[in-house]
Amino acid sequence: MIGQDYFDLRSQFGKSLLSLNGLVSDAASDPDHAIIIQNLINSLKDPFVFVVVGEVNVGKSTFLNALFGSDITRTGIMPTTDKIYFFKHGLTERRVAITKTLEEVYVPSEFLKDFHIVDTPGTNSIEGDHQEITERFVPMADLVIFVFSAMNPWGASAWQFLDKVHRHWMRNVIFVLQQSDLRMPGELDAIVEYMKQLCRQRFGREFPIYAVSAKKAYLARSSGLDRERLLAESGFNHLETHISRSLGGSATRVSKLSNALRIAWDVLSSIQNQAEARKSNREEKGRVMRHIEQQLDTHDARTLMKITPAIEMTGADLHQASEELITRLHAQLTPVAALSSVLKERREINGIEAQLQDQVRTPSFYRWDRAAAIIEDDIIRFAEYLGDVVTQGLKVQIRDELRPDESFWKAQRRRFTQRMDQMLHQIVSDLKLEADLKPLLLKTRRLAAAQWFLVLPILLSGCYFAGRGAWNSFIEVEAVGGILGSALWIASSMMLKRGRLNILQKLAGALPDIRSHLSAQLRDDVHNLYESFRRVLDPTRIKLVEQERRQTSFNEQISTLVKSFQALDARLKSMAAAGDT
Ligand SMILES: Nc1nc2c(ncn2[C@@H]2O[C@H](COP(=O)(O)OP(=O)(O)OP(=O)(O)O)[C@@H](O)[C@H]2O)c(=O)[nH]1
Ligand SMILES: [Mg+2]
């Protein structure tokens, strides 16, 4: 196709402009940008204008049909072009008379989207109308094709017409020596040479001249039979190469595309700047977000540190209560107390767990309430700080979400002290002090009963032998009683000692236990409160990540466009250079 290179470049440019258009709407940039780009896209559609001039019957219309492989000028139906026909693309075929010498013809041929064709009557038939063509159509033409018949290229009217063409537009003129099939090659060469000479004499310049046979070219294109040979003989190949090159290198077209590209660059740069600004804005927000995360960790640790002494003190309370309990149990868990328990059990262990809990709970309650107040205070102050940072740094209004109301804090305090209390209760009950002591009391009481009711009668029966002076028997009986009594005493003492030791160990073990449970609980509570700030910030965080993702793809699109604009620029420059030479 004629001008293929130019059209390729133009369609590439068109695609780039469409991508740019996409970026413009994505970036929600200046509304003018969309209009500018739309205008640029429309301007690319500007078709080339070809004007054909020549004497009657030299084959102008046939030439046009052959050039575009289409029977638009209908040489068959209307052999003589009687007025100026301006061919344009239309969805249906339609003719609009503009003046009595000019008619616009709309034809649904694809190539007419890119080329507007002006077919003119023979210069020798319209002497008076030369002016309309030279003044109206030649200046708008990208190419003015002067057609001469190879049979007689010397008709005066075409040359006189050329005299009237302003020198400025002469650079767009080419000569076509039509109907070349009617001449021998040698004759054609001589004619071409002579025409060149004539041009030099008459206009002080030469025009590109191509000897062609439109008849053969049209046949090649329409019938397809012996296509290559006919096309080669038609001389159209050279002519088309020349036209394509001159279209691509057309100074007006190249500068038009270059201007369009420059405008598109401007829009792209402005979008790029906007993207840069958005990027630094987002990065700044990212920094603020990271700062907030750090602050959350720091404050979380700080609050925890403030209330850690409460754990130590609760530990100390438990320690003291345990000491007191141990002292009391020591007094009770003796073999003597066991002996006296036979008549009446005075050793009291029911309720020792509850006492232990009460002893720790009373001061702790006050402490945990204080700790809850410290937490509340810290959280409220952090919420204030966070509200400021978020408003200023992230440009988001979340103050209300950050500030829980009074009822939240009441419930929070109650839950907190309750949980601490429950934990204390759980740890003390898990010691199972009473459950351990009960069988010990029972066993030692039984051992004591055995001493009273077995050993004492044996010892007393010794007196009977002593009264009779049977000292040997006395000694034997007393020895048996003594041994039995000592054995029971030792057994009871050891059992009680083990019991005391067991209690001691359990209470000693409870101390680190309560510390670690309380710490874990506190850590969780405080952490959950600070964590709720993170949750409030989640939507903002997600938005930032999403913005970053979109921005990355946006930047990729920008750099793809930059590359294609650079490639277009390079091609336009080389086209301009080719046009200059
Ligand atoms: N042998 C030969 N005849 C041709 C060629 N081109 C056109 N003709 C014939 O020349 C005659 C004129 O062709 P047109 O294309 O109508 O010429 P035109 O210059 O448009 O004529 P007007 O519109 O009357 O000025 C027709 O009979 C064509 O068949 C060619 O390349 N070789
Ligand atoms: Mg014609």
Side-chain angles (χ1 to χ4, degrees), residues 507-576:
L507 287 171
L511 215 58
D513 228 26
I514 199 160
R515 279 205 188 104
S516 73
H517 277 78
L518 287 177
S519 298
Q521 181 65 48
L522 262 186
R523 234 190 347 263
D524 278 3
D525 273 7
V526 172
H527 189 63
N528 283 342
L529 282 169
Y530 280 102
E531 209 42 41
S532 64
F533 290 127
R534 278 185 224 271
R535 278 197 297 279
V536 171
L537 289 174
D538 274 352
T540 315
R541 192 181 300 109
I542 291 166
K543 207 167 129 192
L544 280 177
V545 171
E546 172 58 14
Q547 275 174 0
E548 188 176 353
R549 192 193 61 72
R550 279 221 312 268
Q551 202 159 23
T552 312
S553 104
F554 195 77
N555 287 346
E556 279 165 10
Q557 289 177 56
I558 287 185
S559 43
T560 313
L561 256 185
V562 167
K563 278 189 204 126
S564 60
F565 277 12
Q566 280 165 345
L568 281 168
D569 193 41
R571 275 185 72 183
L572 277 170
K573 280 189 178 125
S574 78
M575 275 183 166

Side-chain angles (χ1 to χ4, degrees), residues 57 59-62 73 75 78-81 119-121:
N57 235 16
K60 301 183 290 297
S61 304
T62 311
T73 62
T75 47
M78 285 189 290
T80 299
T81 307
D119 190 10
T120 60

Side-chain angles (χ1 to χ4, degrees), residues 171-328:
R171 61 183 180 182
N172 294 333
V173 169
I174 64 165
F175 278 18
V176 166
L177 195 57
Q178 242 280 59
Q179 302 169 336
S180 65
D181 54 295
L182 300 177
R183 287 279 194 184
M184 300 305 286
E187 290 174 327
L188 288 173
D189 292 344
I191 295 171
V192 167
E193 242 348 281
Y194 190 65
M195 284 177 95
K196 282 185 180 169
Q197 200 184 328
L198 204 61
C199 285
R200 282 196 297 272
Q201 283 168 1
R202 198 159 177 159
F203 307 107
R205 63 184 294 165
E206 276 183 18
F207 298 100
I209 303 182
Y210 291 92
V212 301
S213 164
K215 190 175 164 185
K216 286 190 178 179
Y218 188 75
L219 260 174
R221 288 201 166 128
S222 53
S223 73
L225 277 177
D226 220 358
R227 193 172 177 281
E228 294 307 321
R229 185 184 59 82
L230 281 172
L231 209 56
E233 286 176 7
S234 74
F236 261 59
N237 285 339
H238 291 115
L239 170 68
E240 284 178 3
T241 310
H242 172 85
I243 296 178
S244 292
R245 221 184 19 245
S246 65
L247 290 189
S250 147
T252 344
R253 293 286 167 158
V254 171
S255 90
K256 198 171 166 187
L257 284 186
S258 303
N259 277 341
L261 185 61
R262 193 177 42 71
I263 296 168
W265 263 121
D266 281 354
V267 173
L268 184 62
S269 311
S270 137
I271 292 177
Q272 224 169 351
N273 290 344
Q274 264 180 24
E276 274 305 312
R278 272 205 305 273
K279 186 176 171 215
S280 60
N281 187 284
R282 191 187 46 70
E283 279 172 354
E284 176 55 28
K285 284 185 178 173
R287 269 194 293 279
V288 172
M289 197 57 115
R290 279 193 296 281
H291 174 72
I292 292 174
E293 305 269 352
Q294 275 169 6
Q295 288 298 308
L296 273 167
D297 288 342
T298 313
H299 282 255
D300 188 341
R302 205 179 282 173
T303 304
L304 200 63
M305 213 166 352
K306 278 192 202 169
I307 52 178
T308 305
I311 300 174
E312 289 305 319
M313 285 175 181
T314 304
D317 289 341
L318 181 68
H319 180 70
Q320 197 187 336
S322 308
E323 298 269 280
E324 284 170 22
L325 179 68
I326 286 163
T327 315
R328 214 166 57 244

Side-chain angles (χ1 to χ4, degrees), residues 22-38:
L23 282 186
V24 162
S25 46
D26 273 3
S29 68
D30 186 342
D32 285 352
H33 285 160
I35 300 169
I36 292 172
I37 293 165
Q38 200 48 57

Side-chain angles (χ1 to χ4, degrees), residues 99-144:
T99 61
K100 70 179 188 343
T101 53
L102 169 66
E103 193 169 296
E104 283 187 353
V105 187
Y106 294 88
V107 183
S109 289
E110 272 306 295
F111 79 88
L112 285 175
K113 287 180 177 171
D114 294 320
F115 295 97
H116 281 179
I117 311 291
V118 184
D119 190 10
T120 60
T123 43
N124 41 347
S125 72
I126 49 150
E127 292 286 322
D129 294 334
H130 284 185
Q131 206 177 347
E132 180 164 23
I133 302 171
T134 50
E135 288 181 3
R136 182 166 177 179
F137 293 105
V138 169
M140 74 155 78
D142 292 279
L143 196 65
V144 183

Side-chain angles (χ1 to χ4, degrees), residues 403-439:
R403 199 183 290 149
D405 58 12
E406 190 54 35
S407 61
F408 169 85
W409 287 115
K410 258 192 190 153
Q412 168 73 16
R413 243 187 230 212
R414 199 174 50 245
R415 266 201 311 275
F416 183 69
T417 44
Q418 264 171 10
R419 259 201 308 275
M420 291 304 175
D421 207 39
Q422 271 163 10
M423 189 172 295
L424 187 68
H425 178 84
Q426 193 61 46
I427 288 173
V428 173
S429 355
D430 283 353
L431 291 175
K432 298 199 182 341
L433 297 178
E434 291 175 22
D436 274 8
L437 285 171
K438 264 179 194 150

